[in-house]
Amino acid sequence: MGRVEVRGRRRLLDDFFKVDEAEVSFELADGSMTPPARRLVFERGDSVAAVVYHRDSDSLLFAEQFRYPTVGKGSGWVLEVVAGMIDSGESPETALRREIEEELGFAVTRCEPIATFFVSPGGSSERIWLYYAEVGEGGRVGSGGGLAAEQEEIRIVSLSTAAAMDALREGTLVDAKTIIGLQWLRARALS
């Protein structure tokens, strides 16, 4: 890995999402530095997500919700694994447990890290900590569905593992973290 020089950075948009502009140079294979280049960064913050297995029903639990950025390229409604932002000072696992309670209404009984990855490193700084989590009826703490204060309208969808794998194989899932999580689950079942 080579040197990187950040020569300047300024915030262009400071709202729920943030956009920064930077001037950077980076080292080439021959050791020279590139001329200064303008780069934009979508600063979204870091997130957690989980493939959630419900032990008592032997099923996987998903959140189906409206995602405006998909309108025009899809219906706007996306079936995905539970996910949410990591709050300032919060660990990924604590955020994961909070999100599962808010979205599905369960306390987590077991969780295991799968991977941490950048969502779209060409333009966004967002990383996702992806987990496998287990819940059961004895850990029900609410009805789920998200937070009204955040204008969330989450439909909880329960699928058998076989049905989820069929959706993966048929290409009907459009969310990357969901596809990655289910691929991990499929690979785990094969090993």
Side-chain angles (χ1 to χ4, degrees):
M1 292 198 276
R3 294 177 293 143
V4 175
E5 295 175 4
V6 178
R7 298 171 183 230
R9 186 176 182 137
R10 71 183 179 117
R11 176 113 330 140
L12 299 178
L13 175 66
D14 194 2
D15 204 320
F16 180 75
F17 298 125
K18 289 139 182 45
V19 176
D20 289 344
E21 175 185 56
E23 186 177 282
V24 299
S25 294
F26 52 91
E27 187 175 3
L28 298 171
D30 67 5
S32 65
M33 296 296 285
T34 64
R38 177 179 182 253
R39 295 291 188 260
L40 296 177
V41 178
F42 176 49
E43 291 285 351
R44 188 177 186 289
D46 288 338
S47 304
V48 292
V51 174
V52 179
Y53 175 70
H54 188 282
R55 289 186 323 273
D56 299 317
S57 64
D58 189 26
S59 63
L60 298 173
L61 301 179
F62 297 89
E64 183 177 52
Q65 56 189 314
F66 179 71
R67 298 296 198 187
Y68 173 71
T70 70
V71 171
K73 295 182 180 181
S75 71
W77 289 92
V78 177
L79 183 71
E80 59 189 276
V81 295
V82 170
M85 303 299 294
I86 300 172
D87 291 338
S88 178
E90 191 175 39
S91 73
E93 187 175 325
T94 299
L96 172 75
R97 291 175 182 279
R98 175 181 46 77
E99 288 295 333
I100 291 174
E101 287 184 17
E102 289 173 5
E103 294 188 8
L104 301 178
F106 289 98
V108 173
T109 57
R110 176 176 174 252
C111 73
E112 172 183 341
I114 295 174
T116 302
F117 53 90
F118 286 95
V119 176
S120 183
S124 175
S125 64
E126 181 184 10
R127 290 176 297 179
I128 292 182
W129 274 260
L130 182 61
Y131 289 84
Y132 167 80
E134 291 184 3
V135 298
E137 281 307 312
R140 182 166 288 281
V141 295
S143 60
L147 297 178
E150 294 179 6
Q151 296 180 320
E152 290 180 315
E153 177 62 32
I154 296 170
R155 299 174 190 155
I156 301 167
V157 176
S158 175
L159 295 175
S160 68
T161 302
M165 292 304 157
D166 286 346
L168 179 65
R169 196 172 24 265
E170 293 163 5
T172 59
L173 300 171
V174 297
D175 176 65
K177 64 188 174 298
T178 302
I179 293 167
I180 292 167
L182 291 179
Q183 291 283 17
W184 174 87
L185 190 61
R186 180 167 58 180
R188 180 177 161 190
L190 296 173
S191 61

